[in-house]
Amino acid sequence: MIGERVERRLAAVLAADVAGYSRLMGRDEQRTHVGLKTVRRALIDPTIAGHSGRIVKTTGDGLLVEFSSVVEAVECAAEIQRGMAVQNRDVPHDLRIEFRIGIHVGDIIIDENDIFGDGVNIAARLEGIAKPGGICISRQVYDQVEGKLALNCRPLGPQNLKNISRSVEAYAVDLEGAAAGPFDPDDMPLKVDYCRASDGVRLAYAIAGSGPTLVKMANWMNHVQYDWESSVFRHFYTALAREFTLLRYDARGNGLSDWDVEDISLDAWVNDIETVVDAAGLDRFALLGMSQGCAVSVAFAVRHPERVSHLVLYGGFARGAYRRARNELELQQVKALATLIRTGWGSETPVFRQLFSSLFMPGGTPDQLQKFAERQRRTTSAECAYRFFETTRSLDVTELLPKVVVPTLVMHKREDQVQPFEAGRELAAGIPGARFVALQGQNHIPLEQDPETERMLEEIRLFLKGK
């Protein structure tokens, strides 16, 4: 009735269900039913009671729980997921009972023993976007638990949830051992987000994986979607995403970011990464620079030492090729390549693209060479490629090197065909306390079949995890 008073209260709401429940029941109905009853009785119900939660209702594969404390709700969810990870340790992946959990805090309506309202609906929708074995929380929950719990929360950005009129900012809670089984990139479609730089340029970025945050600095020829799918780069990025929360983005003039831009400069690139990490809600992170991205990474680390925990630089330089040229002949050789880029980039004739691919990865397979050549056409226009090339070859951050105060790892191939080995040594020598690792081989791109790629990945893991 219109005049009837509705009981309301503020509460933390936890929604959970079993991922792939219908599939599990179809495969082995009795095993699934008994298994779910067992984990409810032995783990889930006692954990909820131990955190002062109230089970509002259950369905065949899920439950809705109310908490008076947001911290208790998140602690309860983390304990459940850790317990389920232990339960599933020796269970085949296709037989595991894995819960997805969503948590929101908001105003709810009380009707006898049931609860209703946006607080409930948003929790249920967040559960729907959580990965199996994972927890997804709203920004309201994150604000309440930040600094109170020893948990890493990875920003997912604004989410358009089904039947929710406004976007909801969401976070994934990363739990060591909480996710059942290893990270499988095939089970996680890449979500691309966008933000705008101060001059209006639209920038594309994507986040994948879990663990400590690693931001890959944009460089020449990036495409967050195509690189994730390509046989040239996929192995490298998915390997990093298995260990870290990996953020990649496309530089202005590249990939899914705006191509038609006025300003291509060191300052613009540094401002762009500021825009991207702010949009992603990142405060402090490790930074990975590759090739031209190394110089930009140095500039960012000097400007924002409080935001960079570690600096990893591969195949890069402090001085661009125009600055390094020792004589007119060397300078003209580099300028000849710039002319080829401007005139041959968009050509239907494959000769230029094949030459360029062979330069970057002489050890590439025919498929990798073809994919890299195709990447040239997908990532940018001939004019943008030329402007980018001219700017990076004119960079000089040598005066910034002594100002780098964060732990730094520099790696470089001895016979790199794109950036000379001495450029990497010069980069490392100028940064106080930097560790330099010389890698064998010619490939500028870390190819999957190259044995030094695994060594490179292991060096990154050891350096960032402090082992």
Side-chain angles (χ1 to χ4, degrees), residues 20 101 121 146 186 227 249 263 267 322 353 421 453:
I101 297 178
N121 297 338
E146 184 183 17
D186 291 327
D227 290 351
Y249 70 101
D263 188 8
D267 281 344
Y322 292 168
R353 292 192 297 276
F421 183 67
T453 297

Side-chain angles (χ1 to χ4, degrees), residues 198-407:
S198 57
D199 60 355
V201 173
R202 188 181 71 159
L203 303 169
Y205 68 96
I207 299 174
S210 62
T213 303
L214 174 62
V215 175
K216 191 265 177 185
M217 176 69 74
N219 51 278
W220 195 34
M221 290 204 307
N222 288 157
H223 192 299
V224 290
Q225 185 73 52
Y226 185 67
D227 290 351
W228 184 253
E229 300 166 352
S230 167
S231 60
V232 179
F233 293 94
R234 180 176 175 79
H235 67 282
F236 185 73
Y237 291 139
T238 55
L240 291 175
R242 288 187 177 95
E243 304 279 343
F244 308 98
T245 297
L246 177 65
L247 182 149
R248 297 175 300 119
Y249 70 101
D250 290 336
R252 55 177 55 216
N254 269 236
L256 296 176
S257 294
D258 285 346
W259 287 15
D260 186 13
V261 296
E262 291 186 10
D263 188 8
I264 293 182
S265 64
L266 179 61
D267 281 344
W269 290 330
V270 174
N271 291 338
D272 286 349
I273 188 176
E274 291 172 347
T275 299
V276 170
V277 295
D278 286 346
L282 303 182
D283 294 322
R284 187 169 168 81
F285 44 85
L287 188 57
L288 168 63
M290 300 175 68
S291 198
Q292 303 93 341
C294 292
V296 187
S297 297
V298 167
F300 181 86
V302 170
R303 186 184 295 186
H304 297 288
E306 76 287 352
R307 303 191 72 170
V308 181
S309 63
H310 299 76
L311 190 59
V312 179
L313 307 174
Y314 166 76
F317 56 84
R319 293 181 298 151
Y322 292 168
R323 303 288 187 178
R324 292 195 307 266
R326 292 169 295 185
N327 52 56
E328 185 63 21
L329 178 60
E330 288 188 1
L331 180 61
Q332 290 306 315
Q333 287 174 337
V334 181
K335 285 188 175 293
L337 183 57
T339 301
L340 280 174
I341 289 170
R342 192 167 202 173
T343 59
W345 192 271
S347 172
E348 293 298 326
T349 304
V351 174
F352 168 78
R353 292 192 297 276
Q354 291 168 358
L355 180 152
F356 208 68
S357 299
S358 299
L359 184 65
F360 273 77
M361 45 186 196
T365 65
D367 176 69
Q368 288 170 332
L369 292 168
Q370 187 274 327
K371 289 290 196 305
F372 191 78
E374 177 63 21
R375 183 177 185 245
Q376 295 171 44
R377 304 185 70 173
R378 288 195 180 206
T379 52
T380 191
S381 65
E383 184 60 26
C384 277
Y386 172 76
R387 291 175 63 200
F388 210 117
F389 187 90
E390 285 286 288
T391 303
T392 56
R393 266 54 186 175
S394 300
L395 289 178
D396 189 345
V397 296
T398 51
E399 291 185 358
L400 296 179
L401 299 183
K403 300 178 183 179
V404 176
V405 295
V406 301

